[in-house]
Amino acid sequence: AATASGGGAAVAAMVAANNTGSFFLPAFVRKLADDDVQTVMIVGCGGGFDFVHGMLVYPELRRLGKTVVIASYSFGNPEHYHAPSKADKTAVEVVNAKPLAVKVTAAAGASQGYCPESRMCGYLDEHFPLADGAKHAIYAHYARDWCPLALSLFYTRLVEKHAVDALICIDGGTDSLMRGDEAGLGDPIEDAVSVVTCANLPCDRLKYRFLIAVGFGSDRFNDVSDFESLRAVAELTKAGAFEGCISCEPQSAGFVNYKACVEHIYAGQRFRSVLTSMIIAAGEGEYGSEYVPPTVAHRVRPGAAFIWPLMAMLWAFDVRAVARRSLLCAALRDVDSVPGCYMALQRVRETNDVAPVRNLPLHEEYSHCRRWATRGGGGGGGVSGGGSAAAAAAA
């Protein structure tokens, strides 16, 4: 009762102050709206198109007047970027020699059919021009080249160079939430390296550090159980680290921007992202396992993936708590080589009891329908009677 009373008083004070914005806003949105947050850095969590998912939050950040810095941590090899001419020294700029990281603009060419960073820059130049006429640039670096020590040094330099106040590590899927002792882990190394790095950056100026996951359920494709993903959400909530979630409505600025940016990227490269296509399909109301987005029909067969509304939601967490919960992040924290990262994963799997595959309960296991079926005689009368008995028992 005392707790309820205190809670009520706190809410009443918040209502009276009327300075927190809408109470329906998720915590991560309210925190990003903080006037003390002037610059936000978005980094991909686990390779692929993860950094592209940042386009879901980009319009809101710009609406709030934030400067946005983007680092890809993708699966593109930065060595494949080249300047169109020797005279253009801004198209591709080496910012880290080993592992290689380059700052690219829309003018950068690519020798292979995978160039999402430069294509995104072109999209941003067209639709979100910078006030000073400068060109958008993205830091491109290959996820599998980095260990926590090297990535920490690189990100610390970016935070200091751009005076970053808040960090968003964004993941497509939920394998970034895995502890390391689950039956299936998805692509664990790249995600865990990113999470432990972002959690432990020695940057006092960072006021907020978020992990945002989108595409919930897409990692079934990579053996991650929905049971384990939801268990992670529950445990992080209990730890006070859940920063809220929000649906990407099909008409929302974030979703429209995301889809348009993805289409712009696809217009200039051959690669198509399965996860991105599922997020867009879910946001547009597709459902079930038989629908396959046309963009990835050559990669995914009907029945191989299950699309549902949870894929088109942003789930936000304090990335430091995600790292504290993770056995793999604890093992990776001081690793100074890529081979060492794989050895750390092997140690975690060998020294912990790996859980069996755990599934969400079936509807029939908790439904009155099961009791109707066992109690019902024949026809509708039996079902009706069983339903009434079950309802009475439940009441």
Side-chain angles (χ1 to χ4, degrees):
T3 301
S5 175
V11 171
M14 291 167 65
V15 171
N18 192 28
N19 61 359
T20 61
S22 171
F23 295 143
F24 287 108
L25 286 176
F28 79 95
V29 177
R30 294 198 303 270
K31 291 176 179 179
L32 288 171
D34 186 338
D35 289 339
D36 289 338
V37 174
Q38 296 296 311
T39 301
V40 178
M41 185 162 82
I42 298 173
V43 300
C45 181
F49 266 39
D50 280 1
F51 79 101
V52 178
H53 308 320
M55 290 296 99
L56 289 162
V57 298
Y58 189 87
E60 177 67 3
L61 295 176
R62 290 295 298 269
R63 185 190 71 83
L64 292 169
K66 313 301 181 184
T67 298
V68 182
V69 179
I70 301 174
S72 68
Y73 194 70
S74 76
F75 286 155
N77 187 340
E79 291 182 357
H80 295 152
Y81 277 115
H82 57 268
S85 68
K86 292 183 178 180
D88 190 344
K89 299 185 182 299
T90 61
V92 181
E93 177 187 350
V94 175
V95 292
N96 202 81
K98 191 177 181 180
L100 181 63
V102 297
K103 185 170 74 170
V104 301
T105 68
S111 57
Q112 290 195 353
Y114 190 94
C115 49
E117 293 93 350
S118 63
R119 293 294 299 172
M120 182 187 286
C121 288
Y123 175 83
L124 294 175
D125 285 343
E126 180 179 354
H127 298 284
F128 296 92
L130 299 174
D132 56 4
K135 298 299 182 182
H136 286 272
I138 291 175
Y139 293 98
H141 51 313
Y142 179 50
R144 290 173 179 157
D145 279 347
W146 298 80
C147 65
L149 178 61
L151 194 60
S152 178
L153 292 171
F154 179 48
Y155 282 175
T156 298
R157 284 171 45 209
L158 295 185
V159 168
E160 298 302 329
K161 173 181 175 64
H162 295 283
V164 174
D165 305 300
L167 178 65
I168 296 174
C169 180
I170 191 158
D171 184 31
T174 51
D175 47 353
S176 58
L177 301 180
M178 298 298 103
R179 284 167 38 91
D181 59 354
E182 297 87 353
L185 300 179
D187 294 313
I189 294 295
E190 295 83 18
D191 282 15
V193 167
S194 194
V195 166
V196 72
T197 297
C198 292
N200 294 292
L201 284 180
C203 302
D204 292 338
R205 67 167 300 111
L206 283 174
K207 190 169 185 179
Y208 304 114
R209 308 178 190 213
F210 302 110
L211 171 69
I212 297 180
V214 62
F216 195 109
S218 60
D219 280 322
R220 296 188 206 102
F221 202 68
N222 290 322
D223 297 325
V224 174
S225 161
D226 291 335
F227 178 100
E228 300 293 1
S229 296
L230 289 169
R231 182 180 74 134
V233 173
E235 292 181 359
L236 289 165
T237 299
K238 185 176 288 187
F242 182 45
E243 299 282 2
C245 64
I246 190 168
S247 294
C248 301
E249 303 165 38
Q251 71 277 17
S252 66
F255 185 82
V256 172
N257 181 65
Y258 177 66
K259 183 179 178 182
C261 183
V262 169
E263 290 174 349
H264 184 91
I265 292 172
Y266 284 173
Q269 67 173 44
R270 296 187 299 271
F271 177 81
R272 303 291 184 263
S273 165
V274 172
L275 199 152
T276 296
S277 300
M278 289 195 288
I279 292 171
I280 292 173
E284 294 179 333
E286 299 296 344
Y287 182 79
S289 61
E290 292 307 308
Y291 177 81
V292 175
T295 51
V296 292
H298 62 293
R299 298 184 62 193
V300 181
R301 58 175 175 78
F306 192 94
I307 296 171
W308 63 348
L310 272 66
M311 286 179 178
M313 297 176 68
L314 299 170
W315 304 71
F317 310 90
D318 184 329
V319 73
R320 293 165 294 187
V322 176
R324 286 194 297 269
R325 178 179 175 272
S326 170
L327 300 170
L328 183 52
C329 283
L332 284 171
R333 179 167 180 173
D334 298 319
V335 173
D336 60 1
S337 70
V338 173
C341 293
Y342 288 89
M343 293 173 62
L345 172 61
Q346 184 176 353
R347 286 196 301 273
V348 168
R349 302 295 276 181
E350 291 176 348
T351 58
N352 292 276
D353 293 330
V354 175
V357 175
R358 290 183 280 203
N359 296 307
L360 295 177
L362 296 173
H363 171 74
E364 291 82 0
E365 293 174 341
Y366 291 88
S367 169
H368 298 322
C369 296
R370 185 160 61 99
R371 282 173 279 180
W372 294 345
T374 57
R375 296 182 184 186
V383 172
S384 176
S388 298

